[in-house]
Amino acid sequence: MSTLIKNGRIVTAVDDYNADIFIEDEKITQIGKNLEMGADKVIDASNRLVIPGGIDPHTHFDMPFGGTMSADDFESGPRAAAFGGTTCVIDFAIQTKGESTLKGLDTWHEKADGKALIDYAFHMIITDMPDSRLGEMRKLADEGITSYKLFMAYPGVLYVDDGTLYRAFRQAGDNGTRICMHAENGIVIDEIIKEAVADGHTEPKWHGLTRPTRMEAEGVYRSIAIAEVAKVPLYIVHLSCSDALEEVKRARMRGIDVIAETCPQYLFLDKSYYEKEGFEGAKWVMTPALREKWNQDELWQGLKFRDLETIATDHCPFCFKEQKELGLESFTKIPNGAPGVENRMSLIYNGGVVQGRMDLNRFVEVTSTAAAKAFGLFPKKGTIAVGTDADIVIFDPERKETISVNNPCTHHMRVDYSAYEGFEVQGFTETVLSRGRVIIENNEQKIEKGGQFVKRALTGSRLD
Ligand code: URP
Ligand code: ZN
Ligand code: ZN
């Protein structure tokens, strides 16, 4: 199968030029002006951007959490991601406490196998790591699981103590792999929650009020200190606020290998969403919580000056009816998480490029290339070049849409609300190729499945 994409404006993290792209089977084999070769399929990309498929390094499909399961599985989640211009996700497999991480990996392979429309990889969530199990981390790396998430939050659920952090960090560093950190002091936060509950507070807004930004900053500081001593590269996930960003900046100025991710929810939404009528605020109960609005400017600055490396979604959807409603009696019972995997590219293009906060190259970098580099997918994915996977998005920079659960163009996620309801965006995904297969064409799904598990390299890897 061959495909020729004609007349597009190709934008990568470093290039911006007009040319044609020739794809044979899964790979890009030629890029040039006025390519004339015959192809099984020709796509005219005039007046469109031709960009590397988005990479979302933080999703939770089919995840047990908060007494229920995240609403998108490996069929609906990747499909929604594809409609939004994302062609690869890195989801989180989970180790059941006391059991093998390799068993956890098998479970996630079973959940995903044969279902996904786009390619996917896994990080491993480590919930305990006695000395006797440390060798598993090497085996995980051999299986292409070259990053691990550990939690300072959620005591009694996913939380691990500092000793476990140190052991896992040391091993990850020795193996040439990376640690992803949910950095928030969950022990202190639980005490604050107890006080709020004792005072009779039940409404969703108390989720935000019991999670001070200082407790996120403390987690960032502590995890960086442990990573520095353990000599492991660190990736702070879902960084939400200026206090936490300051700790990242300070460490980077000292030459520490720490990079950080933020998410659209922290760039576009703020704590006023918790003040909505009745139980409505539960839609935005996520961790870290939404912050005061002024933090958003600091995060955009962080992206501009490269103290923030990537924009992921932390897509972890729960339906408002029946799932979020588990917390009707108390904010402590609301499942934490929100949807967004479908909306990331348009939100960031609109808020970043259209509104003048970043240029086109940086847009590609923060939505694709940087994640590929951080997580051992580059240069197979994350750019457009001869020899790379033909994961390509043809993006209409002018098209406007209003994001809504009721807009069939913006909502394929299996969840009964949109976190960005009513947001108007300019810039929209039109056609998507995944390893050369046209999976979405003019906003219509063309293929049901075919996404593959991607084994990730330890660091950046060369093409074969
Ligand atoms: O609220 C969130 N973020 N839910 C997903 C789990 C996590 O902490 O990433
Ligand atoms: Zn987290
Ligand atoms: Zn998450």
Side-chain angles (χ1 to χ4, degrees), residues 321-333:
K321 285 266 150 227
E322 291 179 13
Q323 291 191 298
K324 290 288 185 181
E325 283 181 355
L326 291 168
L328 269 171
E329 312 248 296
S330 169
F331 69 95
T332 61
K333 301 273 188 314

Side-chain angles (χ1 to χ4, degrees), residues 116-419:
L117 179 59
I118 58 170
D119 288 353
Y120 58 93
F122 296 128
H123 312 276
M124 174 59 64
I125 290 178
I126 291 176
T127 54
D128 70 4
M129 191 43 68
D131 287 337
S132 58
R133 192 158 278 140
L134 281 168
E136 287 176 12
M137 290 178 71
R138 176 76 258 170
K139 292 196 184 120
L140 287 170
D142 293 341
E143 296 294 320
I145 313 302
T146 53
S147 49
Y148 314 98
K149 183 176 178 188
L150 291 99
F151 289 77
M152 292 171 155
Y154 311 128
V157 188
L158 297 170
Y159 167 88
V160 293
D161 61 22
D162 287 357
T164 304
L165 290 183
Y166 179 72
R167 281 192 302 282
F169 280 27
R170 287 281 288 167
Q171 189 63 42
D174 284 351
N175 291 347
T177 54
R178 185 179 288 282
I179 291 291
C180 302
M181 196 68 227
H182 182 131
E184 260 189 319
N185 191 323
I187 299 290
V188 173
I189 287 169
D190 261 18
E191 294 300 320
I192 303 171
I193 290 173
K194 274 192 227 156
E195 288 170 359
V197 170
D199 289 344
H201 299 302
T202 59
E203 313 96 297
K205 71 175 179 188
W206 285 91
H207 175 76
L209 291 170
T210 52
R211 306 188 91 89
T213 56
R214 192 48 47 204
M215 290 297 97
E216 184 181 347
E218 190 277 336
V220 171
Y221 171 80
R222 183 159 37 105
S223 59
I224 290 173
I226 299 170
E228 181 181 356
V229 173
K231 298 191 175 64
V232 66
L234 190 64
Y235 178 91
I236 305 291
V237 297
H238 49 46
L239 188 143
S240 73
C241 60
S242 172
D243 283 350
L245 180 59
E246 285 305 312
E247 298 301 337
V248 171
K249 285 195 217 169
R250 237 192 298 280
R252 286 168 65 83
M253 281 200 322
R254 288 198 303 113
I256 308 301
D257 189 348
V258 54
I259 55 177
E261 149 197 298
T262 190
C263 311
Q265 53 268 38
Y266 306 119
L267 293 166
F268 297 107
L269 309 175
D270 63 78
K271 67 177 219 176
S272 66
Y273 282 74
Y274 295 131
E275 301 290 344
K276 287 190 187 268
E277 191 73 16
F279 189 62
E280 190 83 1
K283 292 177 177 173
W284 295 276
V285 165
M286 62 183 77
T287 307
L290 297 179
R291 306 305 194 183
E292 286 179 23
K293 196 168 175 54
W294 63 267
N295 286 278
Q296 294 172 3
D297 288 341
E298 302 293 320
L299 298 181
W300 283 110
Q301 284 283 102
L303 286 163
K304 182 169 176 182
F305 294 118
R306 298 172 177 274
D307 291 308
L308 291 173
E309 188 92 351
T310 59
I311 302 178
T313 58
D314 192 7
H315 177 83
C316 191
F318 298 103
C319 289
F320 185 64
K321 285 266 150 227
E322 291 179 13
Q323 291 191 298
K324 290 288 185 181
E325 283 181 355
L326 291 168
L328 269 171
E329 312 248 296
S330 169
F331 69 95
T332 61
K333 301 273 188 314
I334 302 170
N336 286 197
V341 75
E342 185 167 353
N343 308 124
R344 182 181 67 126
M345 302 289 277
S346 284
L347 282 168
I348 301 305
Y349 183 83
N350 185 72
V353 180
V354 176
Q355 294 181 9
R357 296 185 179 107
M358 62 176 66
D359 64 21
L360 268 174
N361 300 112
R362 185 74 180 136
F363 164 68
V364 171
E365 193 171 15
V366 296
T367 55
S368 180
T369 317
K373 287 185 174 173
F375 291 114
L377 291 166
F378 189 86
K380 184 177 158 64
K381 297 191 185 290
T383 194
I384 292 179
V386 170
T388 62
D389 280 1
D391 288 359
I392 295 175
V393 166
I394 300 175
F395 192 83
D396 183 344
E398 301 298 331
R399 176 162 162 190
K400 294 186 175 147
E401 286 289 342
T402 302
I403 297 176
S404 169
V405 69
N406 297 315
N407 180 348
C409 293
T410 66
H411 199 95
H412 299 83
M413 298 169 283
R414 200 184 284 157
V415 58
D416 61 359
Y417 74 98
S418 169

Side-chain angles (χ1 to χ4, degrees), residues 11-27:
V11 181
T12 70
V14 291
D15 312 298
D16 188 346
Y17 57 100
N18 293 304
D20 304 338
I21 299 176
F22 188 60
I23 298 158
E24 287 171 284
D25 299 324
E26 301 190 348
K27 305 275 184 196

